[in-house]
Amino acid sequence: MTGEHQTLALLLFSVFVAVTLAITTWVSRKRRGSAEEFYAGGRLFSPMENGFALAGDYMSAASFLGVTGLIALFGYDGLLYVVGFLVAWLVVLFLVAELVRNCGRFTLADVVAARMRERPVRIAAGTSSVTVSVLYLVAQMVGAGSLVALLLGGTSEAARAWTVIGVGALMVIYVSLGGMRATTWIQIVKAVLLLGGTIALTALVLMRFHGDLDRLLLTAAERSGHGEAFLAPGLKYGGDWTARFDFISLGLALVLGTAGLPHILSRFYTVPTARAARRSVVWAVGLIGGFYLMTIVLGFGAAAIVGPDAVRGSNAAGNTAVPLLALDLGGGAGSTGGTVLFAIVAAVAFATILAVVAGITLASSASVAHDLYASLRRRGGKPRSEVAVARVAAVGVGVVAIALGLLARDLNVAFLVGLAFAVAASANLPVLLYSLFWRGFTTRGAVWAVYGGLVPAVVLVVLSPVVSGSPDSLFPGVDLQYFPLQNPGLVSIPLGFLAGWLGTVTASEVPDEAKHAETEVRSLTGAGAV
């Protein structure tokens, strides 16, 4: 990329970082320092504000960079991510949003612990939430590295490494100083920028083809080198039975995983009532639905205008398809329009990454402080402030995410998020649904549901082609591949539900009918909700 690209994009990055740091500083001066303020922003956000923040949290680097890249490279099969990410919100809307807002206080563990023995349940749910958050963070770090590698010409590994470290440092600052209120406003600003950028690019793609979607798809198929197969199922997931099972596994993980994502669940606590939580989701579904429809146009647009070979040449996983498309739509390399559009899109993608990592880091640090620290600290010792512990935890989570982000820098970001969704659907969703809807659920069942989904999901990822045994693995020189699927959801999600049922039916404890009745009334009516 030329010096103008670098200068302009870096200038726009700097403007966004300066604005978000100003928001964080402003909020930190107004903050009261309470746990409710730090974790939930004082529960003062309106449904529309929270809806934009939810959309901002959800429309991550995986959506903007990874999904469009997968559509550009694999056509129809890349659409699975779009469908899965969007359909997932129906599960959130109908089964989770209002009930979680009424039953919990700050985290997933609050919902489960309302009718169980607190300590084992909080340790299990906290461990699971941190694991999911770190996996999700890694995907954002990889997206940041890919973006800056493209911006700087793709030659400097050191630049990618320093970018990942810089993003990690910024997310720690946002969370430590500003808490949920600053994070929410950063999400809202980012959602507006991302939707604006996506609308502009989609309009330019459609103008290039005079609004003729047929011509767009046929041109994409022609340039793909696969012909009509590019527009039909099977290019990525139809080669053999293993690929087809991978397809089912990924679909299950995407549809069921959203309802178990800690940073999405924590957003429902930032509004005053359950009704506001539901209305937030309606806003989010509208915004996210529009966004994903546009990513389909951008993915096929990148295939038709840039070409899959050029996309793959820039980044093997396809993470740079959108910036390359912007460059071409603006007039090509060296043109003023191309330079400006490329820089704007790169800055918006970078803003996306910064905002999402702030939200995830806050959710994981809340789990560490509110669930793990509160349960594991020694009795009789001098308790530290939960908020102080959460700030320290944000640093620890940031360090782990940076290290893993450097390791996984060549994997597709949408694919990495698919793994996080699989772990969330395997460990968090079973315990959440059983707690809300099963009268006879017990503490042992809750603990078994979490670990019965979490451990198999993580172990199967370690034993899968993602980690070793193929040229595209994290460790291509090692072969520990014993599980053929790249996504563990098909096996680990049923195991999570099965373990929860088995733990409950083999437990000697008698379910507390009174606590279940209290939880049920609270979840459905909001009586006694925080």
Side-chain angles (χ1 to χ4, degrees), residues 411-432:
L411 294 180
N412 181 280
V413 287
F415 168 73
L416 285 168
V417 163
L419 296 182
F421 273 65
V423 177
S426 305
N428 291 350
L429 188 65
V431 73
L432 182 60

Side-chain angles (χ1 to χ4, degrees), residues 394-417:
V395 178
V397 169
V399 169
V400 172
I402 287 168
L404 291 173
L406 293 173
L407 196 64
R409 60 181 174 267
D410 293 323
L411 294 180
N412 181 280
V413 287
F415 168 73
L416 285 168
V417 163

Side-chain angles (χ1 to χ4, degrees), residues 243-460:
R244 290 171 192 178
F245 279 124
D246 233 335
F247 180 88
I248 298 168
S249 188
L250 177 63
L252 271 175
L254 295 181
V255 170
L256 298 177
T258 300
L261 292 175
H263 65 290
I264 296 296
L265 294 173
S266 66
R267 283 245 141 261
F268 299 132
Y269 302 124
T270 64
V271 288
T273 64
R275 183 168 178 266
R278 178 179 279 270
R279 288 172 60 203
S280 298
V281 175
V282 173
W283 270 99
V285 169
L287 295 167
I288 292 164
F291 171 76
Y292 279 120
L293 286 174
M294 290 186 286
T295 61
I296 297 172
V297 176
L298 296 184
F300 283 113
I305 295 169
V306 180
D309 291 338
V311 171
R312 206 176 271 110
S314 168
N315 180 275
N319 294 332
T320 53
V322 176
L324 289 174
L325 175 64
L327 185 63
D328 204 302
L329 288 170
S335 68
T336 304
T339 301
V340 170
L341 202 55
F342 173 89
I344 290 171
V345 167
V348 167
F350 201 71
T352 295
I353 290 162
L354 283 180
V356 171
V357 296
I360 303 165
T361 306
L362 180 62
S364 53
S365 62
S367 291
V368 171
H370 187 62
D371 300 327
L372 296 177
Y373 170 74
S375 301
L376 293 172
R377 71 179 174 82
R378 285 179 299 181
R379 299 287 179 263
K382 185 181 178 184
R384 292 188 178 186
S385 155
E386 244 186 52
V387 175
V389 175
R391 290 189 178 123
V392 174
V395 178
V397 169
V399 169
V400 172
I402 287 168
L404 291 173
L406 293 173
L407 196 64
R409 60 181 174 267
D410 293 323
L411 294 180
N412 181 280
V413 287
F415 168 73
L416 285 168
V417 163
L419 296 182
F421 273 65
V423 177
S426 305
N428 291 350
L429 188 65
V431 73
L432 182 60
L433 294 184
Y434 279 150
S435 297
L436 291 172
F437 299 110
W438 187 8
R439 184 180 297 276
F441 198 44
T442 63
T443 302
R444 178 194 276 188
V447 173
W448 282 27
V450 173
Y451 292 127
L454 178 65
V455 174
V458 173
V459 169
L460 291 177

Side-chain angles (χ1 to χ4, degrees), residues 70 74 77 80-81 135 235-254 316-317 410-423 426 456-475 480-493:
L70 283 171
F74 300 106
D77 279 12
L80 174 65
Y81 285 89
L135 273 172
L235 200 58
K236 182 173 173 63
Y237 295 110
D240 53 24
W241 279 107
T242 302
R244 290 171 192 178
F245 279 124
D246 233 335
F247 180 88
I248 298 168
S249 188
L250 177 63
L252 271 175
L254 295 181
D410 293 323
L411 294 180
N412 181 280
V413 287
F415 168 73
L416 285 168
V417 163
L419 296 182
F421 273 65
V423 177
S426 305
V458 173
V459 169
L460 291 177
V461 168
V462 171
L463 300 179
S464 75
V466 176
V467 172
S468 67
S470 74
D472 301 325
S473 304
L474 288 180
F475 303 105
L480 297 171
Q481 184 192 331
Y482 297 102
F483 180 66
L485 304 185
Q486 294 194 331
N487 192 293
L490 187 63
V491 176
S492 58
I493 295 171

Side-chain angles (χ1 to χ4, degrees), residues 138-163:
V138 171
Q140 311 308 316
M141 298 298 195
V142 171
S146 298
L147 197 65
V148 171
L150 175 67
L151 187 67
L152 301 178
T155 54
S156 175
E157 284 298 315
R160 290 177 74 171
W162 280 109
T163 303

Side-chain angles (χ1 to χ4, degrees), residues 33-94:
S34 67
E36 186 176 42
E37 177 72 26
F38 186 81
Y39 295 141
R43 308 189 203 281
L44 297 174
F45 291 101
S46 71
M48 186 181 81
E49 289 168 345
N50 198 45
F52 268 87
L54 269 170
D57 241 337
Y58 198 68
M59 298 183 304
S60 65
S63 304
F64 192 52
L65 301 176
V67 172
T68 45
L70 283 171
I71 294 172
L73 297 181
F74 300 106
Y76 185 96
D77 279 12
L79 292 178
L80 174 65
Y81 285 89
V82 173
V83 175
F85 282 147
L86 189 52
V87 171
W89 280 92
L90 298 177
V91 179
V92 177
L93 180 61
F94 292 118

